[in-house]
Amino acid sequence: MDERANDLTAREPRSSAQRQATLFEPDAPPWELDDAQQRTVATVVFPEIADREFDYLVPEGLVDQLSVGQRVLAPLGRGDRPRRAYCVRIESVPLRRELKSLSKVVDARSLISPSMLRVARWIADRYLTGLGQVLESILPAGVRTQAGTRERLEVEPTDTGRRPPAELRLTDKQRRLLEIVVEAGRPLPVAEVIGRAQCSQAPLDALRRKGLVRYERRRVRVGLDAAPEVEQVPNHRLNADQQRALDAVLDAIRSGTHHTLLLHGVTGSGKTEVYIRAIQEVVRYGRQAIVLVPEISLTPQTRQRFRERFRHVAVLHSHLSDAERHYHWQRIADGEVEVVVGARSAIFAPTPHLGLIVIDEEHETSFKQESAPRYHARSVALERARADGVPLVLGSATPSLESWRKAVEGTYRLIELPRRVFDRPMPLVRTVDLRHESGRAGFRGAISRPLQVAMNEALAEGGQVILLLNRRGFATHVQCPACGEVVRCPDCDIALTHHRQGDYLLCHYCDYQRPAPDVCPKCESGGIRYGGRGTEKLEAEVKARFPDYPCLRMDTDAMRRPGSHEAALTAFRRGEVRILLGTQMIAKGLDFPNVTLVGVIHADLALHLPDFRAGERTFQLLAQVAGRTGRGAKGGLVVVQTFDPDHPSIVAAAAHDYRKFADAALAARRRLGYPPFSEMVRLVVRGNEAETTVAAATEIGERLDRYYSQHGHTVRMLGPAPAPIARLRGKYRMQLQLQSPDDEAMRAGIRAVRDEMKLPETVEWIADVEPISML
């Protein structure tokens, strides 16, 4: 969790002299209001100031320029320093009190539509964040800075210039310039006009003084070419299951009202084709669609799939430059884009004619933002779809338990794709009990004998292999056998991971690194050991055991360079790489028919974390990675290595039985009152000193408990207690966990405590609504 952006820390209230005045006293007499002068007043919010709105007088010269959703410069504080703010309301009201005036309108047009502003207010309320901070998050940095554009002076004729009086005397150069400007029929850059006339700007300035032309400065796009056109391919034939699913989505689209549909389809069942056919219907109506996919699934394969079926597609991903992001944003806002495909933040795409929202792999944790504003894109999509009256389609082979419960209870419509396309069978899954394997003579390393045999057979038959190990680095910890010392990050309560390439130790939470030691840092013993295994060590083992087959590692360390992810997948698709190994980035969204074997090196890695969703995530990861094989005519096999083969999540994943897993998991959640049977808010208190942090967390807990008791709210509170990672980035961490069926009651208590409590300057706290990370 990124906790560096603090949205709840109490601040010292401003004095009345510092505070911008509001319009009226709450009990102002009606005759005073009648006598007050009608003036235009703008209400603005600042990104850096939470939960406060400010009123400013709009000068006469700015009244016609200003609209809701534009940014402005407004004086703030004693020094009246101009600060950027967002205009969220404009009213003509009787003014009794003196207000400061806006300094400038920054944007030529509104950047936030009225419907998006309503969604932003909902996010601010639900996720306990300032509206200004939400608007800053909605608007990409490239749009705010107008990246990829420059200001250009342009000239166009006036009405008089189009029909100049006969008696008007003009020089030859002036006449030539006027002809060029009039014949163009559109504004032209001044530099182009004088270049074509082969003269200086002075004759053009003279035409301006005569009232024949006018100048205007405009922002124009530079340096970006449109994406090359992709040859369109015909629709694929749908099977009976796909057709039924498509008919259900089309019924929702044609109803003209909001519906939420959960498309539950096994891996390889053709969910994407259903999405595409539904979007085609929306586009025929002249409307737009937003498709959210996890960032990890935004592969070139995914992008190509949509570009082959739609001519006007904007693909938004993390590798775009600010200029590219601004370019796409402008095209979307102008209605030039039919389909927006992107990760979490694409839900804020400024589509003026939205007709459908699709979330693929809706269970993915990456749809939750871990820095303020800590919104969940699935929840925001639901709110936006409701507000715009359009359908929302949630798709997954392993739906989140929150969505599944709503579907089986009838809140969402459940659509199922129970079979793979072409009736291909689901892959056979074999579990390998590592408790037995590790005791066998000759077993060393990460690859068990059954997995090695399966790899030899798959490779000999011309197939390809995927190996999953969801842990980076070479060794996961460094320990001295003499004194027991584990080399830890000095700023986090975390063991450092050894990366052999570069021979350094790295903290995967704060990026602290140091050279790998030859001796124990504590007792200076020379027998230091590197334990555990990550993808680097697995890569070395694979290359040693299978030297004749090209192997490639995919994790965030190996895929740092731009284009490396695309190049790796292209090489694997062409068969240039026979063994692909890596972290969860290889587990989802890949479709390679020649993959006949998937090996899961250690299925238990996340199974026993202090997180109530650990079993759910393990099931989802195993089911998703198993779905990478058996997509071609050769069939497929999955080998799962585990120390806990009888765990319900692993048993259900091996049987491809989502319902069995969901029924058991929901029963356990119901007994404990965990989501989806309650709402949850996680509070994290951070501070420089352990004692001060504990005291602050204790006081917050006591105040919350008192508030809920006084107001008769039933809220279960766990803690305060040290967070599972008790120290992170140099800060001590305490947590409180709130659960209640009444989410508004929980948030009301947090707001009340936040507003009344002043914390020490070295302590801050955050509220994470719908938390995903519990560490």
Side-chain angles (χ1 to χ4, degrees), residues 556-576:
T556 53
D557 300 311
M559 301 287 111
R560 291 186 185 277
R561 285 181 294 183
S564 56
H565 189 267
E566 184 171 344
L569 294 180
T570 299
F572 192 62
R573 184 177 299 109
R574 291 174 177 169
E576 298 166 7

Side-chain angles (χ1 to χ4, degrees), residues 85-303:
Y86 291 86
C87 176
V88 296
R89 187 168 53 250
I90 302 174
E91 297 175 297
S92 181
V93 293
L95 190 63
R96 293 183 56 254
R97 310 186 74 177
E98 183 178 349
L99 294 180
K100 296 178 183 179
S101 296
L102 294 180
S103 305
K104 181 181 179 182
V105 176
V106 175
D107 304 306
R109 59 186 280 188
S110 176
L111 302 181
I112 306 291
S113 68
S115 63
M116 189 62 74
L117 181 58
R118 286 193 295 271
V119 171
R121 288 189 182 279
W122 179 86
I123 293 172
D125 177 67
R126 175 162 180 79
Y127 296 101
L128 299 165
T129 307
L131 178 58
Q133 191 171 30
V134 175
L135 294 174
E136 194 84 342
S137 179
I138 285 176
L139 207 59
V143 177
R144 297 197 302 269
T145 60
Q146 301 185 75
T149 67
R150 63 179 175 82
E151 198 174 66
R152 184 171 73 184
L153 184 64
E154 296 183 343
V155 60
E156 60 182 342
T158 63
D159 290 340
T160 304
R162 290 186 179 90
R163 298 179 185 83
E167 66 275 10
L168 186 66
R169 291 186 177 182
L170 299 176
T171 67
D172 291 343
K173 287 184 178 179
Q174 290 172 351
R175 197 174 303 280
R176 174 61 181 147
L177 286 166
L178 188 57
E179 288 174 358
I180 293 171
V181 172
V182 172
E183 289 173 358
R186 60 182 175 83
L188 289 177
V190 167
E192 179 183 335
V193 173
I194 62 179
R196 286 165 60 180
Q198 297 183 340
C199 66
S200 68
Q201 190 175 325
L204 195 60
D205 290 341
L207 291 177
R208 183 189 179 199
R209 289 192 295 271
K210 294 176 185 291
L212 302 179
V213 300
R214 57 173 165 262
Y215 292 159
E216 187 168 345
R217 293 193 175 275
R218 289 189 176 91
R219 283 248 161 216
V220 295
R221 198 178 296 138
V222 293
L224 279 178
D225 299 323
E229 286 202 8
V230 176
E231 183 178 351
Q232 301 293 284
V233 300
N235 288 334
H236 302 299
R237 184 186 297 274
L238 300 181
N239 62 29
D241 293 332
Q242 289 175 303
Q243 188 62 55
R244 279 192 294 271
L246 176 60
D247 290 343
V249 179
L250 293 182
D251 286 346
I253 293 170
R254 291 165 183 164
S255 74
T257 58
H258 166 70
H259 297 272
T260 301
L261 305 96
L262 176 62
L263 181 56
H264 175 222
V266 299
T267 56
S269 59
K271 293 185 290 295
T272 303
E273 186 64 24
V274 175
Y275 304 152
I276 287 173
R277 298 287 280 272
I279 294 168
Q280 287 174 344
E281 181 82 358
V282 168
V283 170
R284 275 195 288 270
Y285 295 157
R287 311 201 74 177
Q288 300 163 288
I290 295 174
V291 182
L292 299 188
V293 298
E295 178 75 40
I296 203 170
S297 299
L298 265 178
T299 61
Q301 194 174 17
T302 302
R303 302 176 210 169

Side-chain angles (χ1 to χ4, degrees), residues 405 409 663-678:
R405 184 195 176 207
E409 292 184 351
D663 289 347
L666 284 173
R669 299 267 186 98
R670 187 189 295 273
R671 286 195 303 271
L672 298 171
Y674 276 95
F677 299 98
S678 69

